[in-house]
Amino acid sequence: MAHQISAGSLGAGMRGGALIVEGSPSVSERMRRILAEVAPGLQLAAASTQAQARFMLAAQAFSFVLVGMDGPDGDGAALIRHVRTAHPHIDTIAMSETDDDGLVGAAIAAGAVGYVLTEADDAELAFLLRSIERGGAPVDSRIARRILGLFAASAQPKPIAIQPVPESLAQGKPLLSPRELKVLRLIAQGWSNQQIAEAVSLSVNTIEFHAKNIYRKLCVKSRTQAVHQATRQGLFN
């Protein structure tokens, strides 16, 4: 069932509308309500099954999808993989009630760019979801810690084939500047660009500039990939 809301002024990350895929009607309606408050002009639609979601994704334009990880008709990671393959321009944000390691790992491996916990209160969820308007990806701070733990646990002692060593490292220079490393540490803790900007007394545009430099230097395209690559290269040590 689709919920259409009148057009209004939206952030760049929310112009195409949102699809909420959740088997629980109460959770689906709550997320719809929070998103409507965060972005009053956002077009919203809801699907209770993966089959319905796939049909709607093929028929309508969306900029992001909220995917319940423990839905009644199967693993939410399967839908995230489908979106990543069939609709690569659409971002997927996973959600679940608790920060279960299995669900978090499956969502990140499938390609989710964000993860929120529905056990959080409305204000916290609204704060996280507002980062989409600024082109960011909402990641609960508890999930950020889980992600770091999962990467650390999966690290292998044998050499891993990764991107060629950047010229700066080959010359003995640090890959990231102290400022970039500080920004990346805060990203790893789930902080939004706005939060980081306030913490280090810089503008949001400056933080976004640092983030783009971090992605370029690490040869990645998202926050999650940046944290993963930095962990593998021991930059947080």
Side-chain angles (χ1 to χ4, degrees):
M1 177 180 179
H3 302 266
Q4 299 296 333
I5 300 177
S6 59
S9 175
L10 299 176
M14 290 189 174
R15 284 177 182 158
L19 174 62
I20 302 168
V21 185
E22 172 58 54
S24 167
S26 61
V27 173
S28 179
E29 175 60 24
R30 181 186 178 218
M31 299 306 295
R32 186 206 65 79
R33 174 175 52 78
I34 293 173
L35 277 171
E37 293 173 354
V38 169
L42 182 66
Q43 290 189 342
L44 298 174
S48 59
T49 67
Q50 289 195 27
Q52 183 183 12
R54 293 185 185 215
F55 176 81
M56 296 175 72
L57 284 164
Q60 302 179 41
F62 297 101
S63 59
F64 69 96
V65 184
L66 277 171
V67 179
M69 287 301 295
D70 44 6
D73 63 343
D75 180 8
L79 180 59
I80 296 175
R81 285 192 294 270
H82 169 75
V83 174
R84 184 179 183 182
T85 301
H87 310 281
H89 60 288
I90 300 177
D91 287 334
T92 53
I93 299 163
M95 59 181 178
S96 62
E97 184 177 2
T98 60
D99 54 342
D100 177 85
D101 284 348
L103 294 179
V104 173
I108 298 305
V113 300
Y115 204 117
V116 298
L117 300 178
T118 57
E119 68 174 5
D121 60 32
D122 287 6
E124 184 177 354
L125 285 170
F127 179 83
L128 288 171
L129 292 171
R130 281 194 182 92
S131 67
I132 301 172
E133 290 190 293
R134 299 185 293 271
V139 179
D140 188 284
S141 60
R142 288 164 290 181
I143 296 299
R145 288 193 291 268
R146 284 285 189 275
I147 291 173
L148 288 175
L150 288 169
F151 288 151
S154 63
Q156 298 295 324
K158 61 183 180 181
I160 300 176
I162 56 177
Q163 299 291 338
V165 177
E167 183 180 350
S168 61
L169 285 184
Q171 297 175 351
K173 301 177 182 177
L175 178 58
L176 300 180
S177 69
R179 174 77 71 183
E180 291 167 347
L181 185 57
K182 183 174 183 178
V183 169
L184 184 56
R185 287 184 183 277
L186 295 177
I187 287 175
Q189 295 175 37
W191 288 36
S192 68
N193 287 346
Q194 182 65 46
Q195 288 176 300
I196 296 173
E198 294 173 357
V200 299
S201 301
L202 293 173
S203 70
V204 174
N205 288 338
T206 300
I207 298 303
E208 291 174 351
F209 174 77
H210 284 314
K212 288 179 181 178
N213 280 340
I214 292 169
Y215 296 168
R216 176 179 55 80
K217 291 180 178 181
L218 295 179
C219 301
V220 299
K221 296 182 179 180
S222 71
R223 283 174 158 237
T224 302
Q225 292 175 354
V227 174
H228 188 183
Q229 189 74 304
T231 302
R232 293 172 66 178
Q233 294 189 21
L235 299 183
F236 292 134
N237 293 340

